[in-house]
């Protein structure tokens, strides 16, 4: 198991002062009338969940984690210029932006828009060289024959050999009385081990600043519909912002980068496969997406077998770490092994000693549940004090699963799911063990 370091960072929403209020004793956590603390994770920790509740306070105090960087005000303002309707939701926008920039830098460094030529440069561009934080500055280093260490909007990245962040930032989020995320209570933690970063990418290809080549074509496979559609707008904005800034800096190999946008849908449809077919037919060199780990698992073989690079801004399943991806799959989102650390720490910090986990039955849900359970045990809980129940996200009712939780009598319940989490939490509230009763 990798060594792990946790660093508490400043809370957002109220300036740069530290705010450790959400790390106090159990009374500061969420909870229902029976004192049960309710926690979520990235699939449901967004204000879109609150849109499914009509009574004030239904989610009040519910906490959880999501991969999230303390984005600069300038970066948020640039995203808002791209999409004025984001409404303060920026989940995975930084990760999408960084994915686009990394693809562009790798193609420039390799002197080729062919994915099999530029993919080997991706990992090394995130560590070990001259630091830069935007495409224009990094391009200047490459054109001078230098070695780039891109620190992006989502953090230092520091990719491992598996093509994923060795270090990542997570937001600790809290729902307010209005059933929306209370940004003033958001805190950040960084976890991981930067010594696991991959080695140098080597010397860039000798590409003259004015050289031209086949245009780099990047496709997006992002959730415009389906259970993760609330993540679509910020991710799309991140890609569009990167496209604008890369092309303003001169593009890649002397030509503007082209962007083709498609919908990933979710696993209840075949939207992703249809979209990938379109992207491959239109000669995309790289595809950003999908957001859902399960959706990516349905298309990854088709993408990499076509010699196209796939880089996800939101996949977290540990299955991708050792996947036979022919060196063509990457992600700017951290694996569940990393997210499990701050989520378990959040639960333990609130003094919970008996924990239930309700997780959906897919690669994301089962993987994160297993990792969180392991971290809870490492933190001092007995295995018998943890009950994990896997549920069908398409079930018509969750009465049985919630009743099992009532009988288990936990101090805390972690809900790992997507938009179906609303129906689970509604049932928890109905049984008096949800956040509404506090």
């Amino acid at each position: 198991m990798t060594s792990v370091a946790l660093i508490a960072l400043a809370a957002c929403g109220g300036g740069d002062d530290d705010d450790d209020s959400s790390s106090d004793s159990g009374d500061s956590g969420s909870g229902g009338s029976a004192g049960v603390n309710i926690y979520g994770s990235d699939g449901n920790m967004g204000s879109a969940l609150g849109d499914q509740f009509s009574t004030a306070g239904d989610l009040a105090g519910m906490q959880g984690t999501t991969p999230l960087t303390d984005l600069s005000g300038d970066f948020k303002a640039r995203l808002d210029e791209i999409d004025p309707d984001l409404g303060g939701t920026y989940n995975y926008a930084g990760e999408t932006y960084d994915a686009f920039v990394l693809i562009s830098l790798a193609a420039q460094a390799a002197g080729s828009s062919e994915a099999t030529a530029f993919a080997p440069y991706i990992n090394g561009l995130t560590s070990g060289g001259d630091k830069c934080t935007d495409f224009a500055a990094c391009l200047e280093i490459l054109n001078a024959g230098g070695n780039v260490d891109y620190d992006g909007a989502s953090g230092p990245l520091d990719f491992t050999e598996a093509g994923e962040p060795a270090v990542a930032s997570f937001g600790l989020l809290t729902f307010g009385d209005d059933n929306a995320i209370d940004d003033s209570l958001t805190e950040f933690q960084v976890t991981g081990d930067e010594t696991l970063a991959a080695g140098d990418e080597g010397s860039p290809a000798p590409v003259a600043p004015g050289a031209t080549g086949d245009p780099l074509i990047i496709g997006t496979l992002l959730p415009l519909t389906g259970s993760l559609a609330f993540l679509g707008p910020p991710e799309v904005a991140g890609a569009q912002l990167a496209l604008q800034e890369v092309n303003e800096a001169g593009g890649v190999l002397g030509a503007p980068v082209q962007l083709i946008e498609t919908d990933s849908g979710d696993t209840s449809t075949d939207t992703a496969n249809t979209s990938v077919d379109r992207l491959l037919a239109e000669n995309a060199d790289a595809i950003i997406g999908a957001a859902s780990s399960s959706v990516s698992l349905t298309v990854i073989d088709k993408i990499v077998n076509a010699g196209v690079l796939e880089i996800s801004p939101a996949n977290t399943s540990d299955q991708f770490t050792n996947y036979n991806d022919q060196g063509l799959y990457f992600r700017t989102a951290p694996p569940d092994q990393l997210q499990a650390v701050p989520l378990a720490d959040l639960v333990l910090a609130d003094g919970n000693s008996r924990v239930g986990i309700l997780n959906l039955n897919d690669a994301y849900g089962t993987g994160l549940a297993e990792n969180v359970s392991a971290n809870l045990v490492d933190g001092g809980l007995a295995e018998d004090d943890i009950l994990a129940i896997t549920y069908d996200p398409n079930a018509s009712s969750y009465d049985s699963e919630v009743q099992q939780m009532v009988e288990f009598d936990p101090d805390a319940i972690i809900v790992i799911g997507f938009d179906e989490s609303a129906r689970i939490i509604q049932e928890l509230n109905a049984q008096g063990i949800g956040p509404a009763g506090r």
Side-chain angles (χ1 to χ4, degrees):
M1 190 169 183
T2 59
S3 61
V4 175
L6 284 177
I7 305 170
L9 300 181
C12 72
D16 294 328
D17 296 331
D18 290 339
D19 181 358
D20 295 325
S21 60
S22 68
S23 300
D24 292 335
S25 64
D27 288 341
S28 69
S30 57
S33 59
V36 180
N37 297 323
I38 308 300
Y39 302 87
S41 58
D42 55 307
N44 52 37
M45 287 303 296
S47 294
L49 178 68
D51 292 340
Q52 301 184 63
F53 291 82
S54 58
T55 304
D58 275 351
L59 295 177
M62 176 177 167
Q63 295 177 284
T65 59
T66 187
L68 187 67
T69 302
D70 192 4
L71 299 172
S72 70
D74 174 69
F75 185 72
K76 292 177 181 178
R78 283 148 54 201
L79 288 169
D80 288 335
E81 288 182 6
I82 295 293
D83 183 353
D85 297 324
L86 288 177
T89 299
Y90 305 104
N91 299 61
Y92 297 107
E95 287 83 355
T96 307
Y97 175 92
D98 289 342
F100 195 108
V101 171
L102 279 175
I103 294 166
S104 301
L105 289 173
Q108 182 71 28
S112 173
S113 59
E114 294 291 327
T116 52
F118 67 73
Y121 286 80
I122 294 282
N123 290 343
L125 287 165
T126 66
S127 63
D130 297 325
K131 289 190 180 297
C132 50
T133 57
D134 60 69
F135 178 79
C138 295
L139 180 63
E140 184 176 349
I141 295 171
L142 287 178
N143 285 339
N147 183 4
V148 163
D149 179 356
Y150 175 64
D151 284 356
S154 63
L157 298 173
D158 290 331
F159 276 8
T160 66
E161 293 289 351
E164 61 194 22
V167 178
S169 173
F170 295 89
L172 310 182
L173 311 180
T174 304
F175 280 96
D177 290 336
D178 60 353
N179 300 325
I181 297 296
D182 186 342
D183 290 334
S184 70
L185 299 179
T186 297
E187 295 183 351
F188 295 88
Q189 287 186 352
V190 175
T191 185
D193 184 354
E194 63 183 8
T195 66
L196 297 177
D200 196 316
E201 76 274 12
S203 299
V207 180
T212 59
D214 291 336
L216 177 65
I217 302 174
I218 298 177
T220 56
L221 182 68
L222 299 172
L224 309 181
T225 60
S227 58
L228 284 182
F230 73 97
L231 295 178
E235 291 175 339
V236 169
Q240 292 177 348
L241 177 61
L243 173 72
Q244 173 182 297
E245 295 182 357
V246 167
N247 285 340
E248 286 176 349
V252 173
L253 303 178
V257 178
Q258 299 176 16
L259 177 64
I260 306 171
E261 298 178 329
T262 70
D263 181 19
S264 67
D266 59 26
T267 54
S268 68
T269 69
D270 198 42
T271 302
N273 268 296
T274 300
S275 293
V276 168
D277 287 343
R278 175 193 163 193
L279 292 172
L280 296 180
E282 296 188 30
N283 299 313
D285 302 299
I287 296 173
I288 298 175
S292 162
S293 294
S294 292
V295 170
S296 284
L297 287 169
T298 68
V299 295
I300 183 172
D301 291 337
K302 178 183 290 187
I303 294 171
V304 301
N305 287 340
V308 172
L309 182 144
E310 178 181 6
I311 181 167
S312 172
N315 287 169
T316 62
S317 171
D318 288 337
Q319 288 184 242
F320 294 106
T321 299
N322 297 309
Y323 197 89
N324 182 19
D325 57 25
Q326 303 179 48
L328 290 171
Y329 174 87
F330 302 83
R331 53 179 163 182
T332 47
D336 287 330
Q337 184 179 17
L338 291 185
Q339 180 170 196
V341 175
L343 182 53
D345 279 3
L346 181 62
V347 172
L348 293 170
D350 281 343
N352 300 294
S353 59
R354 193 169 174 83
V355 179
I357 302 174
L358 289 164
N359 63 276
L360 81 164
N361 187 17
D362 77 349
Y364 158 71
T366 57
L368 184 54
E370 290 171 1
N371 279 287
V372 170
S373 295
N375 278 274
L376 290 173
V377 171
D378 288 344
L381 296 193
E383 292 185 4
D384 289 345
D385 288 327
I386 304 170
L387 174 65
I389 299 174
T390 299
Y391 65 82
D392 178 359
N394 298 313
S396 60
S397 169
Y398 298 106
D399 294 355
S400 174
E401 290 85 352
V402 171
Q403 184 57 40
Q404 290 180 67
M405 281 298 163
V406 172
E407 295 170 358
F408 182 62
D409 192 24
D411 302 314
I413 297 173
I414 304 170
V415 181
I416 302 173
F418 297 140
D419 61 353
E420 79 286 344
S421 301
R423 291 192 289 133
I424 293 174
I425 295 169
Q426 287 163 357
E427 184 60 26
L428 291 173
N429 282 340
Q431 295 295 328
I433 59 171
R438 190 149 181 98

